[in-house]
């Protein structure tokens, strides 16, 4: 057992995380985004920040940023853990606490998404390995179309810059890109039919610009869409012809009343599904080596 002095930083982080979550559950909705941005920017740095991390770039639109409503009490897979960190907009490593995108997707009030349950699934499967530190890199922005994620566009360049900063801030390995986007590309037929080619270019550009030619990309198959061409985008997602691009299908997961955003229950299930997909991919990769 560690001495009390060594445990004190972790205890302080846990208490800070609990305080942050209690704020999230009682804060009034209208000024939520402003309050959360201020809260997260002042969130204490983690004692694990200097440690090498297994990194995950979170990209896409609102369902990745998170629109799930926080119940009380918060389910354990959404709660902070000392070894699950988040790269804040200020590029500081802090203890991850939902909403992860509050200081990234600042035009809407963010809520619960799939990334925290994903991280908790990986921790559970680590067999109590205390050396595993996870670094989540939020980069998703609601209401965005895939052409807005093309190389040279602000969203793409910001995501690449944040991924590079994460790799440089304490070191580590980029385990995967978690991509959940496409609902906005179901509105116009031209966008829907162009989706597959744009997604393949995005993957190739990310791999080239990050210098990781075999980078794993886990894309979420749409559960909903804003327009009439959801099936076309879903087919494009299923038919990406690049190696190390896998699909986790969200179809059938429960939606909120707007019939567009996933419910809290859905995010719990999706995060677990994403974790299973990542672990299965790495297990099969290891068996081939």
């Amino acid at each position: 057992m560690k001495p009390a002095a060594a445990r004190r930083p972790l205890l302080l982080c846990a208490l800070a995380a609990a305080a942050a979550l209690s704020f999230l559950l009682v804060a009034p909705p209208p000024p939520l985004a402003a309050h959360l941005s201020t809260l997260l920017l002042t969130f204490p740095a983690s004692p694990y920040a200097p440690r090498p991390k297994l990194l995950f770039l979170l990209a896409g639109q609102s369902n990745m940023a998170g629109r799930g409503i926080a119940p009380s009490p918060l389910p354990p897979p959404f709660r902070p853990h000392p070894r699950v960190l988040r790269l804040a907009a200020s590029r500081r490593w802090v203890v991850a606490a939902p909403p992860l995108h509050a200081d990234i997707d600042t035009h809407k009030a963010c809520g619960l998404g799939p990334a925290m349950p994903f991280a908790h699934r990986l921790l559970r499967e680590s067999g109590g390995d205390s050396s595993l530190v996870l670094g989540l890199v939020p980069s998703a922005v609601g209401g965005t179309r895939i052409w807005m994620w093309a190389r040279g566009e602000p969203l793409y360049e910001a995501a690449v810059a944040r991924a590079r900063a994460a790799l440089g801030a304490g070191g580590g390995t980029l385990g995967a890109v978690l991509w959940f986007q496409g609902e906005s590309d179901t509105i116009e037929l031209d966008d829907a039919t162009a989706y597959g080619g744009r997604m393949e270019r995005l993957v190739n550009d990310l791999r080239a610009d990050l210098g990781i030619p075999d980078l794993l990309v886990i894309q979420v198959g749409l559960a909903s869409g804003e327009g009439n061409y959801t099936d076309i985008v879903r087919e494009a997602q299923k038919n990406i012809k690049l190696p190390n691009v896998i699909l986790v299908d969200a179809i059938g997961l429960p939606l909120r009343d707007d019939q567009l955003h996933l419910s809290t229950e859905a995010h719990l299930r999706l995060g677990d599904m994403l974790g299973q997909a990542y672990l299965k991919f790495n297990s099969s990769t290891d068996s081939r080596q």
Side-chain angles (χ1 to χ4, degrees), residues 2-287:
K2 295 180 180 179
R7 295 198 305 270
R8 193 170 296 117
L10 297 183
L11 177 61
L12 291 175
C13 283
L15 291 173
L21 282 172
S22 66
F23 173 88
L24 300 183
L25 296 175
V26 301
L32 185 61
H35 279 300
L36 289 176
S37 294
T38 302
L39 174 69
L40 291 171
L41 286 170
T42 58
F43 205 81
S46 166
Y48 288 96
R51 296 263 294 270
K53 290 166 281 292
L54 180 58
L55 304 167
F56 295 93
L57 179 65
L58 315 177
Q61 56 182 111
S62 56
N63 271 318
M64 177 56 77
R67 297 293 188 264
I69 298 172
S72 180
L74 202 64
F78 288 113
R79 296 175 189 170
H81 187 285
R83 289 186 283 113
V84 179
L85 310 184
R86 180 185 75 90
L87 190 71
S90 61
R91 298 188 182 178
R92 293 172 60 245
W93 285 113
V94 299
V95 177
L100 299 179
H101 282 78
D103 57 349
I104 301 295
D105 186 13
T106 56
H107 297 292
K108 294 287 182 69
C110 296
L112 304 180
M116 287 298 290
F118 165 81
H120 276 274
R121 177 57 189 259
L122 267 55
L123 288 178
R124 290 200 307 272
E125 296 295 328
S126 69
D129 180 6
S130 61
S131 68
L132 178 63
V133 180
L134 303 177
L136 305 178
V137 186
S139 301
V141 176
T144 55
R145 302 189 183 192
I146 196 169
W147 68 262
M148 301 169 71
W149 290 88
R151 177 188 271 164
E153 296 292 336
L155 289 173
Y156 175 89
E157 298 301 330
V160 169
R162 285 179 56 74
R164 288 172 174 162
L167 288 164
T173 302
L174 185 57
V177 176
L178 305 186
W179 175 261
F180 193 170
Q181 188 278 336
E183 294 92 343
S184 293
D185 289 277
T186 67
I187 300 171
E188 303 290 341
L189 180 59
D190 288 348
D191 285 336
T193 55
Y195 192 89
R198 288 171 173 169
M199 184 65 193
E200 290 189 355
R201 281 194 294 276
L202 171 61
V203 172
N204 286 328
D205 288 343
L206 282 173
R207 289 172 171 172
D209 290 342
L210 294 174
I212 310 173
D214 57 351
L215 176 64
L216 173 63
V217 176
I218 306 177
Q219 56 171 346
V220 179
L222 295 186
S224 60
E226 294 183 56
N228 296 322
Y229 303 110
T230 304
D231 288 344
I232 295 177
V233 174
R234 280 180 48 79
E235 282 303 306
Q237 291 179 313
K238 294 176 184 178
N239 288 292
I240 299 298
K241 302 301 184 184
L242 298 176
N244 293 1
V245 177
I246 59 179
L247 180 75
V248 171
D249 202 343
I251 195 72
L253 292 179
L255 302 172
R256 292 181 55 182
D257 290 343
D258 61 9
Q259 295 302 300
L260 179 63
H261 295 109
L262 297 187
S263 68
T264 298
E265 176 192 350
H267 281 300
L268 274 170
R269 290 163 57 184
L270 178 59
D272 197 67
M273 291 161 61
L274 289 167
Q276 290 182 54
Y278 175 78
L279 293 164
K280 181 179 178 181
F281 176 86
N282 280 278
S283 175
S284 62
T285 300
D286 290 343
S287 67

